[in-house]
Amino acid sequence: GEKFKFFNENNAMTIQNDISVNSGDERSNFYLSVQDLKTKGIVPGDERRRTTFRANAGRTYGKVRIATNLSYTAGNYDVTSSSVYWYVANTPQQVPLTSYKNFLTDKWSDHNHYFNDYYPNPYEDAWRNRQTGRSDDLVGNFEINFKPVKWINIMNRSSLTLSNTSNKNFSRAITYSDFALHNNRFISGS
């Protein structure tokens, strides 16, 4: 029905691309990879993206092995902060829900004229209430191994983890028409 169409008309998908290079011999190794992941959610307007770079390298010099690993991940998202699932689930089955998606141009789809006095149009509320964010993560380590005899391995490892996250929640303004003001239509999803 209409509820199924609401969540499937956005053509939700995840696209992932990976590329890596690996090389080495009995004394050394090298690995480099890049991954890009893009997701388009089932709620209109919801998107996420994550890109990761990774490098590993190591080399043995006699009884000493030196190795390093480094990974950087950048991610961002733009998703609704509204209760869209609740609004869709509580829409009566006979209502042609997907006919209300053009709320910016269709008079009967906006908050002033939407049929439901208790819940907002889920299309409009998903657009009106958003959360955006970005994250950056850097993880790395450096290690030195010394093997003076076959049964002893002395290791020193230093590690680093740095994370930065920022996000923003916002709601677009609601302007009520005279009709809404005089007919007690003051619904808002958030």
Side-chain angles (χ1 to χ4, degrees):
E2 287 290 302
K3 296 176 186 184
F4 180 81
K5 285 183 193 175
F6 178 90
F7 289 118
N8 285 285
E9 69 184 0
N10 201 35
N11 296 320
M13 69 177 83
T14 298
I15 298 172
Q16 178 175 320
N17 294 298
D18 297 88
I19 187 167
S20 63
V21 176
N22 192 12
S23 179
D25 57 28
E26 62 278 348
R27 291 182 11 195
S28 63
N29 67 295
F30 175 76
Y31 176 80
L32 179 67
S33 71
V34 178
Q35 179 188 76
D36 185 55
L37 178 83
K38 186 172 182 182
T39 301
K40 183 178 176 185
I42 61 172
V43 174
D46 284 9
E47 293 184 353
R48 295 178 184 270
R49 187 169 196 168
R50 183 188 72 217
T51 304
T52 302
F53 300 94
R54 182 175 168 201
N56 303 343
R59 178 123 177 118
T60 302
Y61 301 94
K63 296 182 178 189
V64 177
R65 172 148 180 87
I66 298 173
T68 187
N69 300 312
L70 186 64
S71 175
Y72 171 71
T73 303
N76 56 51
Y77 62 88
D78 179 357
V79 296
T80 186
S81 57
S82 125
S83 302
V84 169
Y85 298 100
W86 180 258
Y87 303 148
V88 172
N90 284 287
T91 300
Q93 192 61 38
Q94 76 277 11
V95 172
L97 183 60
T98 55
S99 68
Y100 294 106
K101 66 180 152 192
N102 297 320
F103 59 89
L104 291 173
T105 58
D106 177 25
K107 173 182 173 180
W108 298 107
S109 299
D110 72 12
H111 55 275
N112 291 306
H113 303 94
Y114 188 60
F115 79 93
N116 193 332
D117 283 337
Y118 303 100
Y119 297 121
N121 178 343
Y123 288 101
E124 182 176 9
D125 215 55
W127 170 81
R128 187 171 306 288
N129 299 292
R130 305 298 297 171
Q131 180 180 43
T132 59
R134 179 179 171 92
S135 63
D136 295 280
D137 298 293
L138 179 66
V139 178
N141 67 50
F142 178 78
E143 85 180 33
I144 298 175
N145 287 284
F146 176 60
K147 197 165 190 168
V149 291
K150 196 179 221 182
W151 51 274
I152 293 179
N153 183 29
I154 301 168
M155 179 178 66
N156 183 9
R157 179 182 294 153
S158 297
S159 299
L160 171 72
T161 301
L162 295 173
S163 280
N164 183 44
T165 303
S166 63
N167 60 44
K168 174 182 166 185
N169 288 308
F170 63 93
S171 295
R172 292 177 171 100
I174 297 175
T175 304
Y176 289 101
S177 68
D178 286 336
F179 170 80
L181 291 173
H182 293 95
N183 289 286
N184 296 321
R185 296 187 60 89
F186 297 102
I187 60 168
S188 178
S190 299

